């Protein structure tokens, strides 16, 4: 069941237990208008369900047309038809960092409802790592089949732990559930790395990025526009808090934002790439959003520099052509830290809030002296 608390002002509210026939919902809305003596739209001020995070995503949704009411009923029916695993995965799939639209919530829930668990697997009755490891081996669920003769000697618990961690699994009261092998990309796509709030006249649309052509066209239809330049971008939120304040959002466009979101998605898959991008933005200080996108696309032209000057000295030697065998041979006979420290200015290394960074193709111009603290 999905329970809504509705009001025009938030001062008082009326309870709706969905699904509910549209005529009865409208009757309750009329009662709210009469009781609160208000002509303002009826809004959702709170929810109760097996998905606590829905309260955040449905907050302030206007109940101003039949389509919205039908979608809420559809969501309630979908939730009612889910198992505990479905409730868990819907909670995990909804982004906690920025509010997703009712359409987004329905789209995500459609992948999780019974018969559509495209991304998730459920193993009933398996409630521990030991049981999970044993089930995986006995059902030949691992990449390499384990011969029968070896199975009595296996560490099932370790196998279960590794599999659960790799698939972001969890044990619920009735069994194990986790992300299917190869489905992580689809799950990440549902969550997005950036969200734009678009507005045109009285229409608004919350767009999660990166988005495909179908989703972009859906946004245009909802806003009743032919081109995104006709709409205003009223809010921008990132899944990473590091990016706040580093990008010139006054020049943002939907197209550039989608390109950047694709780059950010790639950065999330590479250790340290997002932090490096933030460091570069702090140094480069792009004047336009398009320039920031260009930096993201050319991020291989930048390199993070270790704080340890001994390690940086070795890195300088590797760039000069020395291999690890040479470096190991001279270790103990050379002051790597001094070489690293002396190379900072020549390499144009700059200190940022996100660490040390340099530009490969053309050194950054001199900045504030980094100092000797790292030697």
């Amino acid at each position: 069941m999905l329970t809504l608390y509705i009001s025009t002002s938030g001062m008082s509210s009326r309870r709706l237990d969905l699904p509910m026939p549209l005529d009865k919902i409208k009757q309750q809305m009329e009662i709210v208008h009469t009781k609160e003596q208000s002509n303002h739209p009826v809004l959702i001020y709170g929810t109760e369900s097996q998905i606590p995070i829905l309260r955040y995503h449905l907050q302030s949704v206007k109940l101003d047309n039949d389509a919205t009411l039908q979608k809420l009923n559809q969501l309630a029916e979908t939730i009612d038809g889910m198992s505990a695993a479905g409730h868990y995965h819907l909670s995990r799939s909804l982004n906690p960092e920025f509010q997703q639209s009712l359409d987004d919530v329905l789209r995500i829930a459609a992948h999780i409802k019974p018969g559509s668990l495209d991304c998730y697997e459920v193993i009933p009755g398996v409630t521990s790592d030991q049981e999970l490891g044993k089930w995986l081996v006995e059902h030949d669920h691992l990449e390499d089949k384990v011969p029968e003769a070896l199975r009595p000697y296996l560490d099932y618990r370790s196998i279960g732990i590794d599999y659960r961690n790799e698939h972001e699994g969890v044990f619920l009261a009735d069994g194990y559930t986790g992300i299917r092998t190869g489905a992580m990309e689809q799950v990440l796509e549902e969550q997005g790395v950036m969200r734009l709030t678009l507005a045109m006249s009285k229409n608004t649309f919350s767009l999660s990025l990166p988005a495909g052509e179908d989703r972009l066209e859906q946004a245009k239809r909802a806003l009743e526009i032919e081109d995104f330049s006709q709409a205003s971008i009223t809010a921008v939120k990132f899944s990473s808090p590091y990016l706040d304040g580093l990008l010139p959002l006054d020049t943002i466009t939907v197209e550039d934002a989608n390109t950047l979101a694709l780059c950010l998605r790639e950065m999330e898959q590479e250790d340290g790439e997002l932090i490096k991008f933030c460091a570069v933005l702090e140094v480069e200080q792009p004047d336009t959003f398009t320039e920031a996108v260009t930096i993201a696309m050319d991020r291989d032209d930048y390199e993070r520099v270790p704080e340890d000057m001994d390690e940086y000295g070795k890195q300088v030697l590797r760039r000069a052509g020395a291999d690890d065998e040479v470096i190991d041979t001279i270790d103990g006979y050379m002051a790597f830290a001094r070489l690293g420290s002396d190379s900072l200015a020549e390499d144009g290394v700059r200190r940022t809030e996100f660490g040390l960074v340099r530009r490969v193709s053309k050194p950054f111009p001199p900045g504030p002296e980094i100092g000797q603290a790292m030697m």
Side-chain angles (χ1 to χ4, degrees):
M1 179 181 294
L2 173 61
T3 297
L4 306 181
Y5 294 93
I6 63 172
S7 173
T8 62
S9 63
M11 299 300 294
S12 61
S13 61
R14 195 158 188 88
R15 173 174 175 150
L16 298 179
D17 292 326
L18 303 184
M20 177 185 291
L22 293 191
D23 58 342
K24 291 189 176 180
I25 295 178
K26 292 177 180 179
Q27 288 175 8
Q28 296 301 312
M29 292 169 60
E30 285 299 321
I31 293 173
V32 169
H33 279 299
T34 302
K35 183 178 180 180
E36 299 183 5
Q37 298 182 345
S38 170
N39 291 321
H40 294 298
V42 176
L43 307 177
I44 297 174
Y45 276 87
T47 71
E48 289 180 6
S49 72
Q50 299 95 326
I51 322 292
I53 197 174
L54 278 179
R55 178 183 179 89
Y56 170 57
H57 294 287
L58 298 184
Q59 187 81 20
S60 300
V61 168
K62 291 182 182 180
L63 308 186
D64 55 358
N65 59 69
D66 286 357
T68 298
L69 301 182
Q70 290 169 343
K71 289 175 183 177
L72 288 167
N73 268 337
Q74 180 184 346
L75 178 59
E77 291 168 355
T78 300
I79 292 173
D80 286 348
M82 285 181 177
S83 64
H87 296 150
Y88 170 79
H89 286 301
L90 180 54
S91 296
R92 286 287 307 275
S93 298
L94 295 173
N95 198 305
E97 298 294 335
F98 42 65
Q99 191 176 32
Q100 292 175 274
S101 68
L102 177 56
D103 284 335
D104 284 339
V105 173
L106 278 170
R107 179 168 48 86
I108 294 169
H111 289 296
I112 300 172
K113 66 183 180 180
S116 299
L117 279 167
D118 301 333
C119 297
Y120 309 101
E121 64 180 343
V122 178
I123 307 176
V126 172
T127 57
S128 71
D129 290 315
Q130 175 79 14
E131 293 175 357
L132 176 59
K134 188 174 183 180
W135 187 94
L136 293 169
V137 171
E138 291 179 347
H139 290 78
D140 296 326
H141 206 66
L142 302 176
E143 289 186 11
D144 299 319
K145 184 176 180 179
V146 181
E148 289 282 350
L150 296 180
R151 294 185 180 186
Y153 306 99
L154 295 176
D155 183 350
Y156 290 119
R157 181 174 178 275
S158 294
I159 293 173
I161 290 174
D162 289 346
Y163 187 86
R164 176 170 53 82
N165 289 337
E166 182 181 350
H167 295 82
E168 296 189 6
V170 66
F171 297 112
L172 304 175
D174 57 352
Y176 164 86
T177 184
I179 299 174
R180 290 187 186 278
T181 300
M184 182 64 74
E185 290 186 3
Q186 185 175 344
V187 174
L188 290 173
E189 182 178 350
E190 296 295 346
Q191 294 178 340
V193 297
M194 185 189 310
R195 178 163 294 274
L196 306 182
T197 301
L198 307 173
M200 178 61 182
S201 298
K202 296 181 180 180
N203 298 325
T204 61
F205 192 89
S206 183
L207 180 62
S208 180
L209 301 176
E213 286 299 323
D214 289 346
R215 184 63 173 161
L216 295 175
E217 290 301 319
Q218 180 186 0
K220 291 178 183 178
R221 290 194 297 271
L223 294 168
E224 299 179 357
I225 58 175
E226 294 183 0
D227 191 272
F228 282 118
S229 62
Q230 299 172 261
S232 300
I233 300 176
T234 59
V236 182
K237 289 189 177 182
F238 299 95
S239 61
S240 170
Y242 301 126
L243 291 167
D244 290 338
L246 292 173
L247 293 162
L249 299 180
D250 56 325
T251 59
I252 191 173
T253 66
V254 173
E255 292 79 8
D256 277 349
N258 201 35
T259 301
L260 179 61
L262 289 167
C263 292
L264 292 175
R265 174 59 51 73
E266 293 174 356
M267 292 181 206
E268 288 185 341
Q269 310 307 310
E270 303 175 39
D271 187 37
E273 282 296 291
L274 182 57
I275 294 297
K276 181 182 77 173
F277 179 55
C278 292
V280 174
L281 288 175
E282 184 178 323
V283 178
E284 295 281 21
Q285 297 184 5
D287 293 324
T288 67
F289 196 86
T290 299
E291 290 177 12
V293 173
T294 300
I295 291 172
M297 296 175 69
D298 295 339
R299 60 188 180 277
D300 288 343
D301 189 32
Y302 302 89
E303 183 178 74
R304 294 177 73 193
V305 173
E307 295 277 351
D308 184 341
M309 287 297 97
D310 188 81
E311 180 57 37
Y312 187 51
K314 295 177 182 178
Q315 191 178 104
V316 171
L317 287 175
R318 291 188 184 96
R319 292 205 305 265
D323 58 23
D324 288 341
E325 183 177 353
V326 171
I327 292 174
D328 289 342
T329 300
I330 63 176
D331 194 3
Y333 301 96
M334 181 173 181
F336 294 118
R338 181 178 176 183
L339 175 61
S341 181
D342 289 348
S343 300
L344 291 175
E346 181 181 350
D347 292 344
V349 176
R350 298 285 291 272
R351 175 178 289 285
T352 74
E353 180 184 350
F354 306 95
L356 303 179
V357 66
R358 77 182 192 96
R359 186 166 55 198
V360 176
S361 60
K362 181 181 179 182
F364 290 126
E369 187 175 348
I370 294 177
Q372 304 298 315
M374 298 172 300
M375 293 184 63

